[in-house]
Amino acid sequence: MNQITVMGMILSAMPIGEYDKRIVLLTRERGKIPVFAKGARRPGSVLSGAVMPFSFGEFTVYEGRTSYTLVSASISNYFAEFREDVEGAYYGFYFMEIADYYCREANDEREMLKLLYQSLRAVIKHGIPNRLIRRVFELKAVCINGEAPQVFQCVVCGDSERDGQFSVKKGGKVCRECDRDVFDGMELRNSTWYALQYIVSSSVEKLYTFTVSEEVLCELETVMERIMDVYVEKRFKSLEILESMRL
């Protein structure tokens, strides 16, 4: 077996047998990979603290035919703040579920890993509302997956000057001259259009450097609810728990 070292984050972990764990690791080098951590649940195991969700660092693994076996780990960030922030933790679990949904083994998932890491850091910093972080993460994840909506010009004629509506079915902005057959159009404030454009076009490192008014945030939430309903064919357990906490 080939021994390699990868950088990544643990998306999920589950017990296997009496003493082992199976983790899902999102890596910079190999995409999303399944890893078995043998003996990680034994008392005193050096792996026990390293195989928890949110753990980010370097992982040395043996590469097998269909899975990997964990040898050692050097964790640089455990995101321990989530232990005292239940709501923040469930936002984090939701982001990891989305990453797990989109990512594949042997794919280049560096941008998704970067997005996940920066989004978790934004949650623990409390600099902007978690509601906004969620919508930024969702939209950027959709963009990284190659499904970015067109928010700079009309998807029909290409005009970038005229006002328009946002249509999920059409794939983005539809100007006034082309919206005759649009049945799901949303009228958005200029500030909402600017926010969408910023999220779509900005690098991951610059995503969480702005805030918006409550009115704009509500419009972003409506847009992203419709986008996620169309683009993502799954209900996430962490999101259901998170939404029940907010009732």
Side-chain angles (χ1 to χ4, degrees):
M1 290 189 293
N2 183 36
Q3 182 172 301
I4 61 173
T5 298
V6 296
M7 177 172 285
M9 177 177 289
I10 295 178
L11 300 181
S12 62
M14 63 178 296
I16 296 292
E18 189 173 358
Y19 295 114
D20 303 338
K21 272 191 174 183
R22 180 187 184 275
I23 63 176
V24 175
L25 185 60
L26 180 59
T27 73
R28 185 178 60 188
E29 296 82 1
R30 298 294 178 93
K32 185 180 73 172
I33 59 175
V35 180
F36 288 93
K38 295 182 178 180
R41 297 168 60 215
R42 289 183 183 275
S45 170
V46 294
L47 297 178
S48 60
V51 292
M52 304 294 291
F54 300 120
S55 296
F56 177 87
E58 290 188 338
F59 299 82
T60 300
V61 299
Y62 282 121
E63 182 180 9
R65 289 184 178 180
T66 59
S67 64
Y68 298 75
T69 301
L70 184 63
V71 177
S72 63
S74 177
I75 306 302
S76 57
N77 195 340
Y78 289 94
F79 288 94
E81 294 87 347
F82 288 138
R83 297 171 189 169
E84 299 178 358
D85 181 3
V86 176
E87 181 181 291
Y90 275 102
Y91 273 102
F93 285 128
Y94 174 53
F95 299 160
M96 291 197 297
E97 280 196 88
I98 291 179
D100 190 26
Y101 174 82
Y102 274 131
C103 295
R104 299 290 183 268
E105 187 171 352
N107 273 9
D108 183 351
E109 305 291 4
R110 286 174 292 182
E111 284 300 300
M112 188 65 80
L113 177 61
K114 190 189 304 182
L115 174 63
L116 179 58
Y117 186 83
Q118 294 295 339
S119 301
L120 296 179
R121 281 175 52 85
V123 172
I124 64 177
K125 283 183 177 180
H126 302 291
I128 63 177
N130 287 340
R131 288 168 56 204
L132 177 57
I133 296 172
R134 170 186 170 182
R135 302 310 178 175
V136 172
F137 178 90
E138 290 171 340
L139 180 53
K140 200 64 176 182
V142 168
C143 293
I144 291 172
N145 196 52
E147 300 174 304
Q150 174 56 260
V151 294
F152 290 93
Q153 62 188 40
C154 176
V155 297
V156 179
C157 70
D159 179 82
S160 59
E161 300 297 328
R162 289 189 289 268
D163 290 338
Q165 304 180 68
F166 187 93
S167 167
V168 175
K169 298 294 186 182
K170 292 288 188 179
K173 183 178 181 180
V174 183
C175 76
R176 300 300 183 195
E177 297 295 320
C178 303
D179 65 358
R180 288 176 295 278
D181 61 343
V182 172
F183 301 103
D184 66 334
M186 289 175 276
E187 299 284 347
L188 302 178
R189 289 174 168 82
N190 286 337
S191 295
T192 306
W193 282 113
Y194 295 149
L196 290 170
Q197 292 167 355
Y198 184 84
I199 297 166
V200 168
S201 62
S202 292
S203 65
V204 170
E205 292 83 357
K206 295 181 179 179
L207 280 179
Y208 300 110
T209 58
F210 74 100
T211 189
V212 296
S213 67
E214 178 65 22
E215 292 79 11
V216 170
L217 179 53
C218 287
E219 289 189 350
L220 285 175
E221 289 179 324
T222 300
V223 169
M224 289 314 304
E225 288 288 345
R226 296 191 186 182
I227 287 178
M228 296 299 282
D229 284 344
V230 171
Y231 291 172
V232 180
E233 298 176 352
K234 181 179 179 179
R235 285 293 297 174
F236 300 100
K237 292 181 180 179
S238 54
L239 181 58
E240 293 176 356
I241 295 173
L242 186 60
E243 290 178 342
S244 70
M245 292 171 60
R246 295 177 58 188
L247 294 178

